[in-house]
Amino acid sequence: MNNISVMIHEIWLETLMAAFMSNEQSSKQKLFDFSDIFFRHFSWVENALIKANCEYDYNRNTIPIKVESLKVIIGDIIRRLNALELSLVNCEDNALASRIGSDIKYIIFALSSMQDETVYAFNINRVLDGVELSDEATDALTMFLFEESYKEYELIMIYNYLKAHSKEQNLIRIFQILIDESLYHLKQFGQMMSDMGILGVPRIIPKELYQVESVVEFLENGINEELNAREECRKLSLAVANENAPLAKFFDLINNQENYHIELMKEALAEYTKEINE
């Protein structure tokens, strides 16, 4: 099951990266939909590991994605899916294995019929939506996207781990909202990176970041990090405001969403503090 979890983790990320690369809207949407399915698979397998009292972490292998045509990465995803299907024979949860296996068969069929495209996600043009920003604004945007795409991936995995190990329904609700919001941010930032020709896979997360000894301390630090992220969004919005108004408004949107994340984390912190005091 640990091996299956790692395989799905890698397939999810690679499919998400492929979605960023595609410029054909129908293919892009299918790849995003499939990546969402794989993330659900990942969560279900994690739940099975917890039920079986198995130790696990979110470690994975590096995922090479630098390709010149979409069919190359699609072919690699299909290869990984075929290997995953073979590994499902070792899954003790027959219902789960059957569901994942059924999804795999359809997704392989859909991927096999997907049109090829030339990939421009690695050309380092650093131009977004055809609007050339100043060198200073471009550098600020580039650094922000690299840092924040990793941060959102990190938060997805941390919140997913905390959600999987929580029994309090309100905490599960809060963590699911934070997961969904971070997935949205990761998709937005990843697409911008692809459009600018600087797409990259987020680096592997050390297990110490999600296997936290003190959730209270994590949430307290997380609130401060969200405050810092909000400030970075504000700075970036100001940096591009005079050059690209729609982009500035987008970062204002992200900034305002961070405000709600902070309130949710405060609510979760209150729940955990209450549990400790009781």
Side-chain angles (χ1 to χ4, degrees):
M1 288 294 286
N2 261 310
N3 185 48
I4 290 172
S5 176
V6 172
M7 295 173 77
I8 296 175
H9 189 168
E10 293 170 358
I11 291 168
W12 162 57
L13 271 180
E14 189 170 20
T15 305
L16 185 60
M17 295 298 116
F20 295 144
M21 297 177 200
S22 176
N23 291 311
E24 203 285 311
Q25 287 304 308
S26 176
S27 296
K28 179 183 288 294
Q29 188 56 57
K30 284 181 182 178
L31 289 164
F32 275 137
D33 289 343
F34 294 158
S35 73
D36 290 342
I37 290 173
F38 294 139
F39 188 76
R40 290 199 294 274
H41 290 173
F42 177 74
S43 298
W44 297 341
V45 171
E46 179 178 24
N47 185 58
L49 285 166
I50 293 171
K51 283 184 177 179
N53 293 316
C54 294
E55 291 186 8
Y56 72 95
D57 57 42
Y58 289 157
N59 196 23
R60 57 172 172 80
N61 299 304
T62 57
I63 305 171
I65 61 166
K66 195 170 182 179
V67 298
E68 295 183 355
S69 66
L70 192 67
K71 71 175 183 181
V72 175
I73 194 166
I74 294 298
D76 192 62
I77 294 169
I78 291 173
R79 177 189 62 79
R80 290 178 184 270
L81 287 171
N82 283 324
L84 174 60
E85 189 171 23
L86 291 175
S87 295
L88 288 175
V89 298
N90 298 317
C91 180
E92 295 181 0
D93 188 329
N94 293 330
L96 178 58
S98 177
R99 164 60 194 268
I100 294 175
S102 175
D103 287 351
I104 286 173
K105 284 182 173 59
Y106 172 74
I107 291 173
I108 288 177
F109 165 77
L111 292 177
S112 298
S113 60
M114 198 168 283
Q115 292 183 347
D116 191 20
E117 301 177 46
T118 300
V119 171
Y120 301 100
F122 310 101
N123 63 12
I124 321 179
N125 64 27
R126 298 211 304 161
V127 176
L128 187 64
D129 296 333
V131 178
E132 292 194 26
L133 302 172
S134 67
D135 289 344
E136 181 181 359
T138 299
D139 289 343
L141 178 58
T142 299
M143 183 174 293
F144 175 89
L145 290 175
F146 273 110
E147 291 178 351
E148 292 302 304
S149 62
Y150 170 71
K151 190 207 82 171
E152 297 299 346
Y153 167 64
E154 178 185 287
L155 290 176
I156 290 165
M157 304 314 294
I158 292 173
Y159 294 141
N160 194 68
Y161 191 89
L162 293 176
K163 175 193 168 190
H165 290 270
S166 178
K167 295 181 180 179
E168 170 59 49
Q169 289 301 310
N170 192 40
L171 288 172
I172 292 172
R173 177 188 66 84
I174 290 171
F175 290 136
Q176 185 60 60
I177 293 172
L178 291 170
I179 291 167
D180 292 341
E181 293 279 276
S182 290
L183 277 168
Y184 170 75
H185 289 181
L186 177 59
K187 287 180 178 180
Q188 298 303 309
F189 298 153
Q191 189 59 60
M192 292 169 74
M193 292 175 75
S194 179
D195 293 344
M196 293 176 69
I198 56 172
L199 183 63
V201 181
R203 60 188 181 274
I204 297 168
I205 304 169
K207 64 182 180 181
E208 292 78 14
L209 291 180
Y210 50 87
Q211 294 180 351
V212 294
E213 293 183 5
S214 170
V215 177
V216 169
E217 183 178 347
F218 161 75
L219 288 170
E220 289 173 342
N221 292 335
I223 289 169
N224 290 329
E225 288 181 8
E226 290 287 350
L227 288 169
N228 290 334
R230 185 179 67 182
E231 179 62 17
E232 290 304 312
C233 276
R234 188 188 69 83
K235 289 179 180 178
L236 193 56
S237 177
L238 291 173
V240 302
N242 294 328
E243 303 176 44
N244 191 322
L247 186 59
K249 288 186 179 296
F250 168 74
F251 285 112
D252 286 339
L253 168 71
I254 298 298
N255 188 13
N256 290 326
Q257 290 181 344
E258 298 288 3
N259 289 334
Y260 187 56
H261 297 173
I262 292 168
E263 293 305 313
L264 288 170
M265 293 178 77
K266 287 180 178 178
E267 185 178 344
L269 178 60
E271 290 276 357
Y272 275 107
T273 303
K274 179 182 176 182
E275 287 182 9
I276 292 173
N277 292 334
E278 290 178 351

